[in-house]
Amino acid sequence: MRILLSDGSGVTSRQCATVLSRAGHHVEALSPDPRCLCAFTRHVRRVHRVPSYGADPYGWLEAATGVYRRGGFDVLLPTQEQVAVLSREDGAGTATAVPPFAALAAVQDKVSAHATLARFGLPQPASAVVRDLAGWDGYPAYVKRPIGTAGSGVRRLAGPGEPLGPSWDGEPELLVQREVQGPLAMVQSVFDTGALVAFHACLRVREGARGGAGHKRGVALPEVREHLRALGEGLGWHGALSADVVLGADGPAFIDVNPRLVEPVNALLSGVDLITPLLDLALGRAARPQPAAVPGVRTHQLLLAVLGAASRGRAAVLAELAGAVLRRGPYEGGTEELTPGFDPRAMALVAAAAGATLVRPAAWRWFASGSVTAYALEPEGWRLITGAAP
């Protein structure tokens, strides 16, 4: 099949490209940046330049559907936040897998997601929706904008009186949550009109650049699976649904919901195919239920790990590279997610990032910043999608 990825900048898209290409599909991608991550792999035949999605989702949609029609694609696969406008426009004439818009709107912004999780009984940290932090006393805490990424829309505050900064002024509502100590689990699922057909969970063993998972380990979380099943069934979800869960001393706590697919390779290596059910749904076919995952599968993303190490200096970059080359420490027994097998363009990008950060460690910010700005939905864009006045 000819498959068009809605985003070419993020690691989820990069992983999807490898999986789809190896399965024999023709893969192309959309991105405002011709030098995006998917441009550095033999598994993507072409990157089509489109407007940035964040503040102009309908400009992006017009360009995306034009590429889709002219290219004769069979499926437009949403791999990032473009799922929101595709859901609002019921696929906009493309073959795709998106939830009903009412379901998506229930979890797209963090304030709505907090209310939705509470409605279906999913555990969360101690939380409150506030206009300011004057009455909040549960520190350390995370303060979250309704629409925003982990880098731009979330702040950790160690104690009262710590300023948020001027960029946070004017927010009508904020979600504040007490910090929960424990490992972070990334959980992923696919639903067919409210029926759970695939589920996987993995631990973020080591953090990479900007909070990404440099190293992961698959894990069985039956309690979390049932929580996510209840959420998907209650919303009548259709397509991919992911979440971040902290495994605290008092049990799991849901801290974020993503109405989309997230990094599918650890799941695939664990025996759970998240992508094929999405293709089936996009083509109007019933999705075949996936088996339970085999826990314990270890994977890593060297690019993210190197960029994360660069924030700690040259010695950390060298140690990271040595561990990867010698297959020691967290790399022992693991599989690379972003650049598996022979892929000269992908390996060149890793080499460039390693070389640049060894010369100037602060260069990691340049490599890590572009992907998020290419696909992240901005408040103005969300207002356009929901029909509110800009």
Side-chain angles (χ1 to χ4, degrees), residues 15 34 69-70 72 96 123 128 151 159 186 199 245 253 257 273 275 313 330 335 344:
Q15 291 190 18
R69 290 192 300 270
R70 291 190 299 272
T96 190
M186 304 165 64
F199 174 84
V245 181
V257 181
D273 184 350
I275 298 178
T335 302

Side-chain angles (χ1 to χ4, degrees), residues 33-90:
D33 182 4
R35 297 173 298 175
C36 65
L37 187 59
C38 278
F40 292 91
T41 174
R42 64 185 180 87
H43 295 294
V44 174
R45 306 290 185 92
R46 181 180 177 185
V47 174
H48 299 267
R49 197 163 189 176
V50 294
S52 183
Y53 173 73
D56 186 16
Y58 282 96
W60 175 89
L61 183 64
E62 182 179 4
T65 53
V67 172
Y68 177 88
R69 290 192 300 270
R70 291 190 299 272
F73 289 94
D74 299 294
V75 170
L76 174 57
L77 186 65
T79 53
Q80 261 300 341
E81 296 191 7
Q82 298 88 3
V83 67
V85 73
L86 287 169
S87 171
R88 179 66 179 86
E89 299 303 322
D90 197 24

Side-chain angles (χ1 to χ4, degrees), residues 267-315:
L268 185 65
L269 296 177
S270 303
V272 178
D273 184 350
L274 298 169
I275 298 178
T276 297
L278 290 176
L279 297 181
D280 287 336
L281 295 178
L283 296 171
R285 302 190 295 238
R288 180 179 300 177
Q290 292 291 303
V294 176
V297 173
R298 299 174 63 179
T299 57
H300 52 264
Q301 302 182 90
L302 179 58
L303 178 62
L304 269 64
V306 165
L307 296 178
S311 66
R312 303 188 298 274
R314 292 184 182 87

Side-chain angles (χ1 to χ4, degrees), residues 236-383:
W237 199 265
H238 193 71
L241 181 64
S242 305
D244 289 339
V245 181
V246 176
L247 306 179
D250 297 326
F254 282 74
I255 61 168
D256 198 18
V257 181
N258 292 304
R260 56 179 175 83
L261 183 66
V262 172
E263 302 178 20
V265 167
N266 187 277
L268 185 65
L269 296 177
S270 303
V272 178
D273 184 350
L274 298 169
I275 298 178
T276 297
L278 290 176
L279 297 181
D280 287 336
L281 295 178
L283 296 171
R285 302 190 295 238
R288 180 179 300 177
Q290 292 291 303
V294 176
V297 173
R298 299 174 63 179
T299 57
H300 52 264
Q301 302 182 90
L302 179 58
L303 178 62
L304 269 64
V306 165
L307 296 178
S311 66
R312 303 188 298 274
R314 292 184 182 87
V317 174
L318 286 171
E320 200 70 42
L321 293 171
V325 171
L326 299 174
R327 308 284 293 174
R328 291 179 178 171
Y331 291 93
E332 183 177 359
T335 302
E336 170 63 36
E337 294 183 16
L338 286 180
T339 56
F342 181 71
D343 193 343
R345 278 187 280 168
M347 291 186 285
L349 178 61
V350 175
T357 53
L358 283 172
V359 173
R360 184 172 179 267
W364 74 268
R365 292 186 177 87
W366 183 87
F367 285 93
S369 62
S371 62
V372 175
T373 57
Y375 61 68
L377 182 61
E378 298 177 10
E380 295 83 357
W382 182 233
R383 284 195 290 267

